Every structure is written in structure tokens, then in C-alpha cells.
Amino acid sequence: MSNNNIQSVRGMNDCLPEVTDTWQVFESIVRDWLRRYGYREMRTPILEHTGLFKRAIGEVTDIVEKEMYTFVDELNGESLTLRPEGTASAVRSVIQHNLLYDGGKRLWYMGPMFRHERPQKGRYRQFHQVGVEALGFAGPDVDAELIMMCADLWRALGIAPTLQLNTLGDYESRQRHRTKLIAYFEAHQDVLDEDARRRLHSNPLRILDSKNPAMQALNEAAPRLMDELDEAALVHFEALQAVLRTNGIDFEINPRLVRGLDYYNRTVFEWVTDQLGAQGTVCAGGRYDGLVGQLGGKPAPAAGFAMGIERLLSLMELGSSTLAPQVPDAYLVHAGEAAQAFAWQVAASLRSAGLATVMHCGGGSFKSQMKKADASRARFALIIGDDEAAAQQVTVKPLRGTAEQTRVEVPLAIEFLKQAST
Ligand code: ATP
Ligand code: MG
């Protein structure tokens, strides 16, 4: 193959059929899980006005500063951005369509997100999230629901990430903490790295999130937000912990968990694993009570989370928790004109009965068709020759196991295949 062939964009992957099989099983588990919790799907455009993300996520965040795919629509000069996450779009849509007019809403979405990051295992430029948002609920009960439903999904997927929990408090306490942090870091200017210096006055809280080992000691001793929290935020956090304890959900309080998006307040959490190296967070979320108002809606409390599908699937693979791929129920082998005419009818009947049926196309001998049937991984070959066509019957040949082949009427073949596929 020549190097001149066009390749996919760096950090953006194809999902080939083998892998897509797994994704589909994952997606159907997720859909059923969300249905059972009373959450409803919404779909928003992949492109939004750049201003939405600047306002929602925050100007001085990694995402907005350096990770967004932003371009000018040359036809009208508007600045547009490929969505880097889903919460901003969900909230924009909820406000635009006044969805909260009759009370709280439980929503979810699933799809591709785009961030211009350095591609590596578990970090891509196009990646996929399942996002869950509960809007209009102020209490810690909904925070607990969101966290406990995650735990439920992990059981279904056969994985066991651990829960890290923190509270960021409310606006006033964050302001107090911010003032103290700036003073503290200003007093230690010499230890600050370049990132920290840049963030000192714009977003000092993010300095605490630094992965630079040289900054760790300084960060450990920094003024703690915990010490500034208001009574109401503490009560909220305590109540959440109480529900988690009662329901047997283990967690670890991590005071340094601050999240990379500005819109969070009070509860924040991450589900993490040590099995995926530096890309160990498989799911992250929290409360964002200010965002609806900040984006121009009538203020409403809200909380949610997003999980990274690629990371979840890698974690499942490491634990050899597998999602059974789809295989066809039947592969239709036929030779001769009359046989083919009958085969079309048989295929239609099988499909109407819900059986996944692959019709052989391209002719060839029985022998070569049987090879294709095997390669298709179908459970059965249904063989139709002139004899079968004349008798309106099919020969059912199991392609797995040791069962004998039998020749039967079509309705009987359908019954047989349906039994075999359950
Ligand atoms: P990280 O610290 O790993 O960069 P983040 O805080 O930027 O994560 P969020 O914005 O909270 O991530 O997104 C929620 C989840 O989406 C993450 O926990 C992760 O599982 C997944 N995710 C985020 N960015 C990527 C990416 N570039 N590639 C693959 N998955 C990602
Ligand atoms: Mg990130």
C-alpha cells in the first residue's frame, strides 16, 4: 500500500465490525440500565457556537484553552466548535426548549466528543461518552442516585472501579478559599511551575490539580477548601455520604479532587482504576447548580456525570469481562435458479421471525458456499438445492457442535433456530 493513501485523522479511530459488535452490546446494556432508572435520551448537534463552551466550561480550563476544535464558518463568519463534552449542549438545549417548565428532568446522551489532546492509550481526539444529567433537583438524594446507578452499571459490566468523592462547596466559600490560595501561592512564587504561574490569578484552584511532582509538596500544604465550607454545603455532603453508606457503596474522600471544568459546585466524584495507567478515570461528574443560570436560563440546580466508553471497554477487556458478539443465526446456501428463488422467500420468513440471516451472494459451488457459511460464524447453514426447492424444504446443518443435519419444512426450521438461539 502506498503512503499516499488517505488515513484517518490522528487520534480518531475507526470502529471495525468486530469491535462495533462489542460496542453495540455495551450500548444496549447502557440503554436498558438508563431506562430502568427513568432517564430519557436526548440528542444534540455535534457542532455548537464556540461561546457556549467558553461560558459553560470556563475560559481558563485545559479544554477551552487548548483542546477545542474551533473554526470559523466561512459562509457567515461564526466561530463554531466540535463539542468537547456534553453537559454544555444538554443545558443549552434544556434552556432553549424550556424543558424544566414542569419540573425536574432526568436526561442522558451518548456519542462522540472531540478534544485536541496528545493521543495515547485511553486518550483520543475523538472519543465517546455516555452522559447522564439530572436537572431541577437540589438535594443530595439525586447525587446519591447518580452515584449508585453507576455502581449498578459496573456490576452489569463486570468491572470494579473505585469511587473518589469531594465537595467544592458553594460560590462564597470558593471565593474565600480562592483569596487564601492566591496569597499562599504568591508567598511561594519560587516553587511554582509555568502552568501554576499562569493560573495564579485566573484559576488558582486548578493549580491543586497539577500532575507535576515538583508541585506536590506545595499543594499538599495549601489552604484547604474543606476548612471554608458553609454549613449548608457540609450538611449536603454528609447526607450524600449517609445514603452511600446505607447502600453499601464504598468511597474515599479526596480533598484534592477539583475536576477540570469550572461549572461544578458541592459534590464532585470520579470513578477511577489503577489498571489504565494515567488514563485511570472512567467516569466523572458532580453538581453544577450555577450552570443553567449562567447560560441564561431560569436558575435551576443540576447534577450529572459522563463516562468514557473507550476506557470502560479497555477495563472490561483487562478483566476479561466480555460482551458476547453478535453472530448470524443462519447462512443461506443455495445453487440453481429455482433454489435461489426459494431461498429469497426463506430468508424473508426467517428475518420476519427475528432471525439474523445472511443470504449467500455471488454464486459458486456448494463447497465454496459452505466455506463462506463457516467464515460468517453463523450458527447454522440452511442449504437449498433443487430437491429442497421442489419440496419447499430446507436442510438445516449445524455449524457448531456435533448435531446431525436435518431436512424440514421452513416453519419447523424457524422454530428450531429460534430454540437454538435462546
Ligand atoms: P482526564 O483527566 O483523563 O483528561 P477529564 O477530566 O478531562 O479526564 P471529563 O471531561 O470529566 O474528563 O470527561 C469524562 C470522562 O470522559 C473521563 O473520565 C474519561 O473517561 C473520558 N475522557 C475524557 N477525555 C478523553 C479523551 N481524550 N479520550 C478518551 N476518553 C476521554
Ligand atoms: Mg482532560
Side-chain angles (χ1 to χ4, degrees):
M1 219 198 284
S2 104
N3 293 335
N4 293 331
N5 286 340
I6 296 176
Q7 307 278 305
S8 65
V9 175
R10 186 165 136 81
M12 304 198 179
N13 302 314
D14 296 316
C15 209
L16 300 180
E18 289 292 308
V19 176
T20 307
D21 280 347
T22 308
W23 280 62
Q24 285 192 358
V25 180
F26 172 85
E27 287 163 9
S28 67
I29 291 173
V30 161
R31 283 199 182 89
D32 188 54
W33 163 68
L34 289 158
R35 183 189 59 76
R36 284 184 285 113
Y37 279 83
Y39 283 72
R40 296 180 67 198
E41 185 180 4
M42 75 186 307
R43 301 180 184 194
T44 61
I46 283 170
L47 271 183
E48 297 274 2
H49 294 288
T50 305
L52 172 66
F53 301 116
K54 288 192 174 170
R55 270 168 72 180
I57 300 169
E59 300 260 5
V60 204
T61 56
D62 280 350
I63 296 178
V64 171
E65 276 186 335
K66 54 190 187 206
E67 294 176 359
M68 297 204 305
Y69 282 90
T70 295
F71 62 93
V72 175
D73 179 342
E74 289 181 5
L75 295 179
N76 59 12
E78 283 180 338
S79 178
L80 302 177
T81 294
L82 284 170
R83 64 179 185 193
E85 58 104 52
T87 303
S89 306
V91 171
R92 193 253 326 124
S93 175
V94 160
I95 296 169
Q96 185 171 336
H97 304 288
N98 195 24
L99 281 195
L100 297 182
Y101 77 100
D102 63 348
K105 289 282 175 299
R106 289 174 161 87
L107 305 170
W108 68 273
Y109 51 82
M110 170 153 63
M113 306 294 162
F114 302 84
R115 297 185 194 177
H116 202 281
E117 306 200 67
R118 193 170 68 78
Q120 53 200 291
K121 176 100 186 127
R123 193 174 293 287
Y124 309 101
R125 290 181 174 174
Q126 175 174 328
F127 63 100
H128 298 76
Q129 286 184 339
V130 178
V132 177
E133 318 285 357
L135 295 117
F137 304 95
D141 47 0
V142 86
D143 303 21
E145 171 177 288
L146 290 166
I147 288 172
M148 292 196 301
M149 66 194 279
C150 289
D152 197 13
L153 180 66
W154 310 148
R155 271 192 295 277
L157 297 176
I159 55 175
T162 57
L163 175 61
Q164 301 220 330
L165 201 58
N166 192 21
T167 179
L168 301 180
D170 293 310
Y171 184 74
E172 293 75 22
S173 47
R174 282 175 83 167
Q175 289 307 107
R176 279 199 302 276
H177 177 239
R178 184 190 149 96
T179 309
K180 289 192 179 173
L181 261 188
I182 293 176
Y184 172 78
F185 285 128
E186 274 177 339
H188 297 88
Q189 285 273 7
D190 48 322
V191 194
L192 298 185
D193 63 14
E194 195 191 316
D195 261 358
R197 284 215 187 89
R198 195 167 42 82
R199 290 188 169 128
L200 180 52
H201 293 279
S202 55
N203 196 348
L205 197 67
R206 285 284 283 137
I207 299 178
L208 298 176
D209 206 19
S210 167
K211 285 166 183 129
N212 181 357
M215 295 277 301
Q216 292 314 311
L218 186 68
N219 280 341
E220 301 274 349
R224 291 156 54 105
L225 179 59
M226 223 32 128
D227 301 330
E228 303 294 333
L229 294 183
D230 291 320
E231 184 65 16
L234 281 172
V235 168
H236 185 106
F237 195 41
E238 284 299 330
L240 166 61
Q241 293 176 54
V243 182
L244 295 180
R245 279 194 206 99
T246 315
N247 287 280
I249 308 284
D250 292 334
F251 58 87
E252 186 187 309
I253 294 181
N254 176 358
R256 279 189 308 283
L257 184 66
V258 296
R259 310 283 306 112
L261 300 87
D262 276 358
Y263 50 60
Y264 288 108
N265 70 309
R266 294 201 177 181
T267 311
V268 289
F269 62 88
E270 289 193 0
W271 289 93
V272 300
T273 170
D274 53 16
Q275 292 181 271
L276 297 174
Q279 279 58 253
T281 305
V282 292
C283 175
R287 184 158 278 286
Y288 51 94
D289 295 325
L291 187 58
V292 177
Q294 196 181 310
L295 291 181
K298 185 162 160 275
F305 60 80
M307 53 184 126
I309 299 181
E310 287 84 354
R311 291 185 194 178
L312 283 174
L313 292 175
S314 305
L315 186 57
M316 291 177 64
E317 218 172 286
L318 285 171
S320 42
S321 169
T322 48
L323 299 171
Q326 309 290 301
V327 295
D329 294 302
Y331 189 99
L332 271 185
V333 168
H334 53 85
E337 234 170 82
Q340 191 188 53
F342 183 51
W344 288 122
Q345 292 174 28
V346 173
S349 305
L350 261 65
R351 289 170 185 145
S352 299
L355 293 163
T357 307
V358 177
M359 174 83 171
H360 177 80
C361 288
S365 67
F366 267 126
K367 196 170 161 218
S368 72
Q369 290 193 37
M370 283 306 295
K371 272 196 188 145
K372 298 246 164 69
D374 259 327
S376 78
R377 296 181 310 165
R379 283 182 243 271
F380 295 91
L382 260 50
I383 304 167
I384 302 174
D386 288 336
D387 290 355
E388 282 92 346
Q392 301 277 288
Q393 291 182 326
V394 293
T395 295
V396 180
K397 181 178 165 60
L399 296 175
R400 309 272 171 273
T402 51
E404 293 288 303
Q405 68 178 50
T406 52
R407 192 169 136 177
V408 293
E409 314 283 319
V410 177
L412 214 63
I414 288 174
E415 272 323 299
F416 185 70
L417 262 59
K418 284 176 92 170
Q419 300 250 312
S421 74
T422 52

